[in-house]
Amino acid sequence: MTSLETRAIVTGRPPRSRRRPRPYTPQRRRSWLLTVVLWACVAYFLLPLWWLTVASTKDTSALFSSFGLWFAPEFSFFDNLADLFTTRGGLFSRWMLNTVFYAGVSAIGATLLAAMAGYAFAKYRFPGSSALFSITLGAIMIPLTALALPTYLLFSRAGLTDTPWSIIIPSLVSPFGVYLMRVYAADAIPDSLIEAARMDGAGEFRIFWQVGLRLMGPGLVTVFLFSLVGTWNNYFLPLIMLNSSDLYPITVGLAQLQAAASAGGGSQAVFSTVITGSFVSILPLVIAFLFLQRYWQSGLGTGGVKG
């Protein structure tokens, strides 16, 4: 009698067979290959961010004399930060506030308009709805650079160039956001719930505000972040619309700062300042994503429970 059989008699449990090693299968090879590819993608996206973080801690001389992916012996981040906020009379703070204003107002407005349009396309049937939605899908394929000149001419005729409205109004239009909210609203808002609200005497606008928006929460966060990042990183539109440096966002402001220094022969003097400004400019986006990702997680969890 073996030890396994003796243990089974004492404990009253059947003997457990020894675990055999799993044979090699093509599925295991594919899983390892997929893991390697995913890690390569992670490195591809995080490597520039790591370089920017490291470079923001170096002075101008260390940028060219030290290894680019590791810190220099001298930590100059706070000195670069002080130079950034004192250059040209602290104009970077003005650019930062402009960017927050442009991106915040545009993202909120674009999210609200996309939610209203997507809800209407998903829950109402009216003449021309299919044609309008097809036009919206077609607008996604049009590059923004092709619309830059017509947009500038329209705003120039209206006298809105070199004003904040020339940045905010074009950013309110989000065809992809409309498409995304239409798809999300079609599944997230049951028709029976809308009918029940109508039977209780609620109007269509009240149903949208008190029922539709609450159920479209994760979709709203997605559209908001897309619009926020798109407006925050927009460079070409502010470049052609704005002439006053006091109205510049961060993207145009840092580019103009670097260009002005290069034209004067002192480009190396502001390398560390521009890099530090680029690092500071991405921090609000990272904070916004970390703060809003919980709404994605709650939406996915709710969807899993309902499923």
Side-chain angles (χ1 to χ4, degrees), residues 37-306:
V37 172
L38 289 178
W39 276 109
C41 293
V42 171
Y44 175 78
F45 288 109
L46 292 184
L47 194 61
L49 182 61
W50 172 252
W51 178 88
L52 182 63
T53 304
V54 172
S56 63
T57 63
K58 303 177 181 180
D59 56 12
T60 302
S61 61
L63 285 174
F64 300 95
S65 60
S66 62
F67 180 59
L69 296 179
W70 197 244
F71 300 94
E74 296 182 1
F75 189 81
S76 305
F77 176 75
F78 296 105
D79 295 334
N80 296 337
L81 205 62
D83 294 337
L84 176 66
F85 285 96
T86 55
T87 301
R88 299 180 62 177
L91 197 56
F92 180 81
S93 301
R94 179 71 179 183
W95 295 340
M96 194 75 175
L97 293 176
N98 292 339
T99 306
V100 172
F101 176 71
Y102 298 153
V105 175
S106 300
I108 294 174
T111 303
L112 182 59
L113 292 178
M116 296 174 69
Y119 176 84
F121 281 127
K123 296 304 175 182
Y124 295 109
R125 296 295 178 267
F126 52 90
S129 59
S130 299
L132 288 175
F133 188 68
S134 299
I135 294 174
T136 303
L137 290 179
I140 299 176
M141 307 302 296
I142 301 176
L144 296 179
T145 52
L147 301 175
L149 183 58
T151 304
Y152 174 78
L153 294 177
L154 288 174
F155 278 80
S156 179
R157 269 290 186 85
L160 294 177
T161 55
D162 202 26
T163 64
W165 296 111
S166 61
I167 308 300
I168 294 175
I169 294 178
S171 302
L172 296 177
V173 181
S174 177
F176 178 74
V178 174
Y179 166 75
L180 186 63
M181 294 310 302
R182 192 260 186 190
V183 174
Y184 193 88
D187 295 330
I189 306 175
D191 294 335
S192 58
L193 189 61
I194 297 177
E195 293 296 334
R198 290 170 180 168
M199 292 181 64
D200 290 339
E204 300 299 327
F205 198 70
R206 183 179 179 184
I207 294 174
F208 169 74
W209 278 103
Q210 297 187 356
V211 178
L213 283 182
R214 295 184 179 182
L215 295 178
M216 292 190 297
L220 294 174
V221 173
T222 304
V223 175
F224 177 82
L225 282 178
F226 272 115
S227 301
L228 182 70
V229 173
T231 307
W232 192 283
N233 295 331
N234 197 350
Y235 173 77
F236 191 60
L237 182 65
L239 180 65
I240 65 175
M241 288 290 185
L242 302 176
N243 297 322
S244 303
S245 58
D246 291 340
L247 297 176
Y248 284 164
I250 293 178
T251 52
V252 179
L254 290 177
Q256 294 295 324
L257 180 64
Q258 177 65 21
S262 300
S267 59
Q268 293 185 356
V270 296
F271 274 154
S272 58
T273 303
V274 173
I275 290 176
T276 306
S278 301
F279 175 77
V280 173
S281 68
I282 67 173
L283 293 181
L285 294 180
V286 175
I287 295 173
F289 176 80
L290 294 177
F291 176 75
L292 295 175
Q293 69 173 346
R294 60 178 180 176
Y295 295 101
W296 278 337
Q297 296 174 354
S298 63
L300 292 175
T302 304
V305 172
K306 290 181 180 179

